[in-house]
Amino acid sequence: MKRNRYTITMLALGTLLYSSCKHDYLEVQTIKADITTDKLYSNYTYVQQQMWNTYSYLPDGISNLNLEGATDEAEATNSVDPVQVFNYGTWNQYTNPDNVWATNFDGIRQANLYLKNKDKVDINYIKDKITSTDSTTYYNARNNVKFMEGEALFLKAYFYFELVKRYGGVPIFEQPLDYNDPNSWKNVQRNSVDECIKYIASLCDKAAAIIPANLSPYSWYESGRVTNGAIKTLKAKALLYGASPLFTANGSTTTWAQAASAAHDVIAMGSYSLDANYSNLFGANNTSSGEAIFFRRYGAMNLIEYNNFPIVFQNSNGNSITPAENLVSDYEVLVKSGSTITGSVPFDWTNPAHAAAPYTNRDPRFAATIVYNGATFKGTAIQTYFGGNSGLPKQNATKTGYYLSKWVNQSVDLINNTTTNHAWMYFRYADVLLSYAEAMFNAYGPSADPQGYGMTALQAINRVRQRVQMPALTAAQLNQQAIEHERNVELSFENNRLWDVRRWKKGVSYFSKPVNRIDITSAGVYTVKKLEDRVFSAKMEWYPIPQSEISKTGWTQNPGW
């Protein structure tokens, strides 16, 4: 979706429309507009641009990829990467590298501005210009104004979800309060976690009633805008979180059965399917995949390649996020009889057969996600052993012994500065299936389907595994650990691990353990070594409210902070 951003200078306006989005892939247009709010929102063209502006507050997945370095999945190569503040445990209410409080409340304000003023939008001038019996342009504009209400509701719900998964309960605003005006916040109180989850779900229900499931009659509605499937997926994700241990321990009354029902609503649409090729989901044409539900287009760029190409390639800047051995060891090993797959087992460095050929016969998602020693990348054999072409002690070499493959497009030529299309997947169908599997398992067990949805927890998780030819699990094998494992290997580097571990209340278990690397000699001797100790305490499962907000409102800080 092409999105233009208007920077509007308003003199003597009671409300201010602006964008904090800093990314140059948005086409910025500046319009001097000394106009009233009423006049602004009566202009159909301006209103459309205001809606595109609201989209710009969605998370920037590619730029935020370094947040994976705050999980057990990865390590930032740059020793002064801001994400290290998380790993050292020195972040707090004053210093938080992921402080998105203001950004999301600004986005909520933009959505509320549209919702408050939507009835002022004037499209009669389009009708007045019709000189034939064809009124298509007018009816398209009328539908667009209505659909933008659904988009505003969805985006508002999305921004609230981004806040609640970090901070817990936050204030619910129906009116476009100005975040930057301290007076407007003085008497505002935080809503409870339960109220927030229910509110997000209610916004999604309202949005889904506006934007139809079948958009084919509306060819003018651009790909990349909010769809009915995206709305239902957001609701399903919010309810999955609401049913999870961290949220129920803090007052959420959402049940696993409700989360399963919401995920089923997406599945039952029949609009999405698993891509037969896992790697397609992270390539230049991923938005055309039947698995794509909601995404952010970046257009042609090469930032992620400059940052993450192995350093054997000229102009790779070494500002990489590299997979940790903790993640690598989580990919299973296929058991084969000849070329026939007969099963799979956990990888184990103490198993002599595994240690002798550690990257052979692994879960296919391993090679699609990770560049390992001996892997071929752009026709070059990558050497991450000590002294190898992409290994230590070379400057900016990976510290973990691995490089990232997911999202990195090998067609890019860094010497000639070529680019390729990128799009970040906010929601994809495999995540829905895994959410359904988790909710169904916790509600009804591995093999029961008392609601007649047509799919059990076991069947859902096995659909995801079998897409990459991984052997099906049995009912006896499906447990919480198996669910956590499957989400880790399927959704790594997709902004899930940081939140999954928290909602499971397992941050201390996963994130306080050392992050490991693989040490490799030129003779091919592999040794797992500790790379870095990590600090994570129970209080860190919620972010602290920024101290500036505590000072402004007098709220009680989140526990432990």
Side-chain angles (χ1 to χ4, degrees), residues 1 3 55 58 223-225 230 286-289 292-298 423-427:
M1 176 183 66
R3 292 185 280 119
Y55 274 88
L58 287 168
S223 172
R225 291 174 70 176
N286 59 348
T287 59
S288 63
S289 172
I293 298 176
F294 188 52
F295 47 83
R296 178 176 188 156
R297 282 198 176 102
Y298 287 80
W424 180 264
M425 290 280 191
Y426 291 122
F427 302 145

Side-chain angles (χ1 to χ4, degrees), residues 1-229:
M1 176 183 66
K2 180 180 179 182
R3 292 185 280 119
N4 300 324
R5 174 163 63 93
Y6 277 81
T7 301
I8 301 178
T9 304
M10 301 181 191
L11 305 179
L13 261 184
T15 56
L16 178 65
L17 170 63
Y18 65 96
S19 172
S20 65
C21 188
K22 61 183 181 297
H23 305 292
D24 58 10
Y25 57 82
L26 292 173
E27 183 181 335
V28 180
Q29 299 184 20
T30 300
I31 294 179
K32 293 182 179 180
D34 182 8
I35 56 177
T36 65
T37 303
D38 286 347
K39 188 174 181 180
L40 172 70
Y41 280 91
S42 66
N43 185 300
Y44 177 55
T45 300
Y46 286 1
V47 167
Q48 289 182 93
Q49 301 309 323
Q50 191 270 359
M51 182 54 61
W52 308 160
N53 177 56
T54 307
Y55 274 88
S56 75
Y57 291 91
L58 287 168
D60 184 348
I62 287 179
S63 292
N64 293 334
L65 194 59
N66 67 331
L67 284 175
E68 302 295 337
T71 76
D72 54 347
E73 286 184 347
E75 171 74 6
T77 300
N78 186 344
S79 61
V80 295
D81 191 294
V83 78
Q84 289 297 95
V85 173
F86 284 118
N87 300 331
Y88 299 150
T90 55
W91 59 296
N92 52 42
Q93 57 267 49
Y94 302 97
T95 303
N96 183 344
D98 187 38
N99 182 7
V100 299
W101 182 275
T103 298
N104 283 288
F105 274 114
D106 284 341
I108 289 166
R109 171 174 164 76
Q110 294 304 310
N112 277 337
L113 279 169
Y114 181 83
L115 295 171
K116 179 181 179 180
N117 294 286
K118 60 184 173 61
D119 294 332
K120 298 174 183 175
V121 182
D122 182 11
I123 59 172
N124 285 324
Y125 74 94
I126 299 176
K127 183 192 291 185
D128 294 341
K129 289 181 179 179
I130 296 173
T131 58
S132 68
T133 58
D134 186 359
S135 300
T136 301
T137 302
Y138 171 74
Y139 289 120
N140 287 350
R142 187 182 66 178
N143 286 328
N144 195 32
V145 171
K146 184 62 177 176
F147 289 175
M148 284 192 287
E149 179 184 356
E151 290 174 277
L153 290 164
F154 168 88
L155 291 168
K156 182 179 178 180
Y158 200 111
F159 301 140
Y160 266 114
F161 181 59
E162 287 296 303
L163 289 164
V164 173
K165 72 183 184 183
R166 289 170 168 83
Y167 302 103
V170 296
I172 292 173
F173 293 140
E174 296 289 357
Q175 297 298 319
L177 296 185
D178 187 351
Y179 170 78
N180 293 292
D181 178 7
N183 292 324
S184 68
W185 284 69
K186 278 187 176 179
N187 298 314
V188 169
Q189 298 300 315
R190 294 171 67 182
N191 289 80
S192 69
V193 169
D194 192 47
E195 289 169 336
C196 288
I197 293 294
K198 289 177 178 176
Y199 184 65
I200 292 168
S202 71
L203 290 173
C204 290
D205 288 340
K206 291 176 183 176
I210 294 171
I211 298 180
N214 180 15
L215 285 167
S216 58
Y218 310 97
S219 58
W220 48 266
Y221 193 83
E222 299 96 334
S223 172
R225 291 174 70 176
V226 172
T227 63
N228 190 275

